[in-house]
Amino acid sequence: MKALWDNALDRIRAQVSGENFSTYFEPLRFARVDGDAVCLTVDDPFFRDWVIEHYREVLEGAMSAVAGRAMSLQLDVAEAPSAPVLELPLPTRAAPVDEPEAFPLNPHYLFDQFVVGPNNEMAHAASRAVAERPARSFNPLFIYGGTGLGKTHLLHAIAHRIKAADPSKRIVYISAEEFTNQVIKSIARQTMDDFRRRFRARCDVLLMDDVHILSGKERTQEEFFHTFNALHGAQKQIVLTSDKTPQEIQHLEERLRSRFNWGLITDIKPPQFETRVAIVQRRAEREGIPLSDEVTFYLARLVSANVRELEGALTRLMAYASFNREPVTIDFAKRALKDILDQRARAVTIDSIQRMVAEHFDVKVADLRGNRRLRTITHPRSIAMYLCRKHTQASFPSIGKGFGGKDHSTVISACKRVEQSLADDQTLRTEIESIERRFSS
Ligand code: ADP
Ligand code: MG
C-alpha cells in the first residue's frame, strides 16, 4: 500500500518544481489506505490547510493514476510529536516587562494593513501561523524577497500579534545590521555577557531583519550561530528575512546556512497589478483621501517594481494635491509624478543591466558586448538582452547597438529563446528573478 504512495510521489516529483516538492510534499507521511481514501499525516495544521487548498488536485490526481481508480486525499494532523523540550530556568512571566522598547515597532505594520496577493500569500500565511503559535509551526521561518516588498512589515506584524496575545512575551526585533553593531560594541566594551543574556536568555521571539548583510561578518555570524542554537533549543521562535535565499547569501558559514533551511523558506515576489491596485486603495483609505479608479489604476500601472515606491508615489501625489489644492485628476497625477517617471527611466538602462548581469555571472561587461561564442558568455548575454527588452523602452535595434553593434535579429532570437526556456526552466527563472531583485535595490 505504501508503494502506491511512493509511486504517486514519483509522479508528483516530475510535475512540480524541486523547491515545491521539498517544501510541500516531502513532509507528508503515509499512514494507510482506507477504502478509496489515502490517509496521510503532517505535523502542522497550517501546513495541512495549505496543502489541501493548493495541492489536493495534484495529490488526488497522482494517487488515482497510480491506483487506477479514483482515490481521495485524507490529510490529518499527527498527534503532537513529543519534541524534546529543553527546560531552561527562564523567568518567563515574572520577567521585568518594563525594559525600554529598544526596537520600536511601526504601528501601521499590522496584518490588517497587509494586502494579500498571489505574490505574498504564502509568506503572509506562514507569518500568521508563526504569530499565532510561536515555535509550534516553523522554526525558523525564513522570508526572502526584493526590497520594498513587505518583509519588514510582516516581521512587525508578527511582533504586534504576539504582543497583543501575550504582553509578557519578550520580543526582540532587530536588523542584522544593528545586531552586528551591538556585537562590535559589546566586544569593545567587554560586555559580551550582557549581550548574550539579552539575546539568548531574555528573548522569547527573535525577529531578525535582512540577514543577508551578515555575509562576510565572521564574528557576528559566530555570535548569531550560538544565539540561534540557544533560542531554537529552548523552543523560541525565530523569524528571518533576507533579500536572497540562504543558498544565495555569499560568505555565510555552512552551519548557519543549514540552520536557515531547518524550517520553512518562503518568498515574496513583486505584486501583480490587481494587488498593487488594492494596496493603493487601502492606503488612500487609511489617509482618508478619495482617489478615482482611473488615478488608482494609473499609479498601479506606473509603479510596478515594489510597494515602497508605490507608496512613495502615492504620498507624493497627496502632498502635491494638498499643496496645490487641486483635485487629483489623471492629468494632475501625470504632472505630479513626472520626475519620478523621468528618474525611473534613467535608473534602468542597457548599461546598468549589463553591469548587473555581468556581476551576477562573474563575466566582463566587454564580453557581453563582444562576440565570443562560449556558453558561459552567450547565456548571460541572452539574459541581458532579454532583460533590456523587458525593463527599458529600447527597441531591438538599439539594444543590438548597446551590445557592440549586433543585428536586431540576434537580439530578437535571444529574447525568444529566453522567453521559451522560462516556461519550464526553473533554474533560469530563479536566476532572472535574482538579477531583477538587484534592480530595485
Ligand atoms: P521590505 O522590508 O521588504 O524592504 P517593507 O516591509 O519595508 O519592505 O515595505 C515597504 C512599504 O510597503 C511599507 O510601508 C509596507 O507597509 C508597504 N507594503 C509592502 N507590502 C505590502 C502589502 N502587501 N500590503 C500593504 N502594504 C505593503
Ligand atoms: Mg525591510
Side-chain angles (χ1 to χ4, degrees):
M1 278 303 160
K2 172 118 187 340
L4 186 156
W5 171 238
D6 289 337
N7 283 327
L9 265 185
D10 284 341
R11 281 178 170 258
I12 294 170
R13 189 179 286 122
Q15 278 173 33
V16 305
S17 75
E19 196 186 331
N20 280 351
F21 187 80
S22 60
T23 309
Y24 304 115
F25 297 96
E26 271 173 8
L28 304 178
R29 287 188 305 270
F30 176 80
R32 61 187 185 282
V33 173
D34 199 348
D36 289 337
V38 179
C39 309
L40 308 174
T41 61
V42 65
D43 289 334
D44 190 276
F46 163 81
F47 217 90
R48 178 199 53 202
D49 297 346
W50 183 269
V51 168
I52 289 179
E53 196 178 322
H54 294 83
Y55 294 108
R56 178 189 279 282
E57 279 171 24
V58 173
L59 282 161
E60 290 184 343
M63 296 185 305
S64 306
V66 172
R69 61 195 162 102
M71 302 298 284
S72 65
L73 166 71
Q74 187 186 325
L75 187 52
D76 297 319
V77 177
E79 297 295 303
S82 48
V85 180
L86 234 160
E87 291 293 346
L88 277 194
L90 281 182
T92 25
R93 301 252 159 198
V97 197
D98 55 12
E99 262 184 41
E101 184 115 49
F103 314 103
L105 297 172
N106 185 320
H108 294 302
Y109 288 1
L110 301 166
F111 281 123
D112 288 349
Q113 299 283 338
F114 192 82
V115 176
V116 182
N119 61 310
N120 58 26
E121 191 185 9
M122 177 77 190
H124 169 261
S127 299
R128 281 197 101 108
V130 157
E132 267 143 39
R133 298 157 29 98
R136 307 287 307 284
S137 297
F138 323 103
N139 208 7
L141 170 62
F142 188 101
I143 303 173
Y144 72 93
T147 120
L149 296 181
K151 300 184 297 298
T152 299
H153 188 132
L154 284 178
L155 278 192
H156 287 212
I158 292 171
H160 284 302
R161 172 64 57 92
I162 296 178
K163 267 231 175 308
D166 182 353
S168 72
K169 275 259 168 24
R170 292 153 313 175
I171 301 171
V172 175
Y173 166 83
I174 189 165
S175 68
E177 187 165 15
E178 183 53 30
F179 186 82
T180 306
N181 291 339
Q182 300 216 5
V183 169
I184 295 169
K185 262 191 220 153
S186 307
I187 295 173
R189 297 185 190 154
Q190 304 191 307
T191 51
M192 218 53 212
D193 285 349
D194 286 346
F195 175 91
R196 291 183 180 136
R197 250 196 308 281
R198 158 141 216 227
F199 286 99
R200 298 185 199 169
R202 297 211 311 262
C203 171
D204 296 315
V205 179
L206 177 65
L207 309 169
M208 189 178 284
D209 219 348
D210 297 324
V211 294
H212 55 270
I213 78 120
L214 294 179
S215 164
K217 306 199 166 96
E218 289 153 28
R219 184 69 178 80
T220 307
Q221 284 183 28
E222 185 181 344
E223 206 48 54
F224 183 55
F225 174 76
H226 295 295
T227 304
F228 187 106
N229 288 346
L231 293 175
H232 197 276
Q235 305 227 310
K236 307 295 186 188
Q237 180 70 48
I238 301 167
V239 186
L240 310 167
T241 74
S242 165
D243 71 356
K244 302 183 183 67
T245 65
Q247 265 56 41
E248 289 169 349
I249 303 176
Q250 289 181 351
H251 309 294
L252 182 69
E253 278 187 51
E254 219 32 61
R255 54 184 190 169
L256 263 183
R257 200 191 304 280
S258 81
R259 273 160 182 77
F260 290 174
N261 280 299
W262 273 359
L264 182 74
I265 299 187
T266 175
D267 69 341
I268 305 191
K269 294 199 170 64
Q272 292 158 334
F273 177 70
E274 292 79 3
T275 310
R276 299 200 299 273
V277 168
I279 289 171
V280 173
Q281 284 169 341
R282 175 81 54 97
R283 187 63 187 259
E285 241 165 61
R286 190 171 99 199
E287 310 283 340
I289 294 153
L291 273 194
S292 70
D293 283 353
E294 200 189 6
V295 172
T296 306
F297 292 169
Y298 173 72
L299 260 180
R301 212 165 283 125
L302 178 68
V303 186
S304 60
N306 71 55
V307 182
R308 185 176 297 132
E309 272 185 29
L310 189 61
E311 290 189 331
L314 182 60
T315 308
R316 173 73 170 267
L317 194 59
M318 305 298 177
Y320 255 68
S322 67
F323 193 66
N324 293 301
R325 294 172 199 280
E326 262 188 71
V328 182
T329 61
I330 188 85
D331 284 334
F332 179 81
K334 284 181 183 162
R335 260 182 292 138
L337 300 175
K338 182 167 179 321
D339 41 331
I340 291 189
L341 263 178
D342 295 348
Q343 203 180 352
R344 252 219 340 212
R346 272 201 304 275
V348 180
T349 62
I350 295 178
D351 280 356
S352 68
I353 288 174
Q354 288 175 340
R355 265 200 314 279
M356 284 183 276
V357 171
E359 223 172 83
H360 182 89
F361 288 100
D362 202 14
V363 298
K364 297 201 184 70
V365 170
D367 277 334
L368 295 181
R369 294 182 187 155
N371 290 314
R372 294 173 67 191
R373 308 285 319 148
L374 284 174
R375 165 139 177 102
T376 46
I377 294 177
T378 55
H379 177 66
R381 188 185 290 143
S382 305
I383 290 183
M385 289 179 175
Y386 163 82
L387 287 171
C388 288
R389 182 63 188 169
K390 183 169 167 196
H391 293 281
T392 71
Q393 306 289 321
S395 63
F396 287 121
S398 56
I399 295 174
K401 216 158 149 216
F403 281 78
K406 296 196 176 50
D407 194 67
H408 71 280
S409 62
T410 310
V411 183
I412 293 177
S413 60
C415 293
K416 273 219 182 99
R417 226 175 18 250
V418 173
E419 259 161 40
Q420 278 162 3
S421 315
L422 272 177
D424 48 30
D425 186 342
Q426 172 70 28
T427 320
L428 180 66
R429 273 204 297 274
T430 314
E431 242 164 24
I432 289 186
E433 279 167 13
S434 110
I435 299 168
E436 286 176 329
R437 283 203 295 277
R438 287 169 183 242
F439 288 12
S440 45
S441 48

